[in-house]
Amino acid sequence: TPQVRLERDRSARRRDTMVSRLASLARGLRGFAAAPRVPGPGTPPPPGGFKHPPVPDSLKGVKRIIAVASGKGGVGKSTTAVNLATATAALGLRVGLLDADVFGPSVPILMNLAGAGTPALDANSQMLPLENYGVKCMSMGFLIAEEKAAVWRGPMVMGALGKMVRDTAWAPLDVLFVDMPPGTGDAQISISQRLPLTGAVIVSTPQEVALADARRGVNMYSKVATPILGFIENMSYFVPPPADAGASARGEGGGNIDGDGGG
């Protein structure tokens, strides 16, 4: 019907606009990664007294480290991190993606690496990142079984993150994206203090309950002298189907998690 065609045209235009904006951000990051600017020893301390952490040996060949963060969970942060990484790689840059969300790693599924096995070791006993779509990836999801939960306290979490940073053969890279865990607690602050971040991209949805947490995230990064490179408003609109059709915005049947009809 004419109404259906109109809605389809609107959906296509909005999709094209979103793809164009993502490509524009990726092009900006390409220029941003043109020269090495990872802060480290010898870098003048920023105002406020915060000192940049030293650059681990595994990251000395990495030109840029960009955190993709959100104050609220469920806003599409991991999907955004994957889209930025793959779009930047498509521009010809050498790109890595570190999944820093130990309790809810999403990168293995989003990067189609869930069944790729565990990382191999090189001659120096460094883990070799798994790679797909031109992006080197490391995630806790590669190191523990998918159905197992990481029931860990803070020191164990930081130990696992430290291993994925220090014991992974990342270099050489033009940019390393870090898919941060949601929130602004101890884990997020510790990661920001231990990684020499070049900048951060904040992801949020448009409702106030998410924006309030996003503002807290911006405030946190200001305290650790990390520039905000951009703010992405995700899930801003929904194109409804024809009036006589249903809409499953997030799929169907997800509650049958054991695969045999049980909840």
Side-chain angles (χ1 to χ4, degrees), residues 91-103:
L91 295 173
L93 294 180
R94 298 166 297 180
V95 179
L97 177 59
L98 170 62
D99 188 351
D101 192 347
V102 171
F103 297 111

Side-chain angles (χ1 to χ4, degrees), residues 60-91:
K60 287 183 176 178
V62 178
K63 293 181 180 180
R64 293 287 195 281
I65 303 175
I66 298 175
V68 182
S70 66
K72 178 74 69 178
V75 299
K77 168 187 55 62
S78 295
T79 302
T80 300
V82 166
N83 284 336
L84 286 173
T86 53
T88 306
L91 295 173

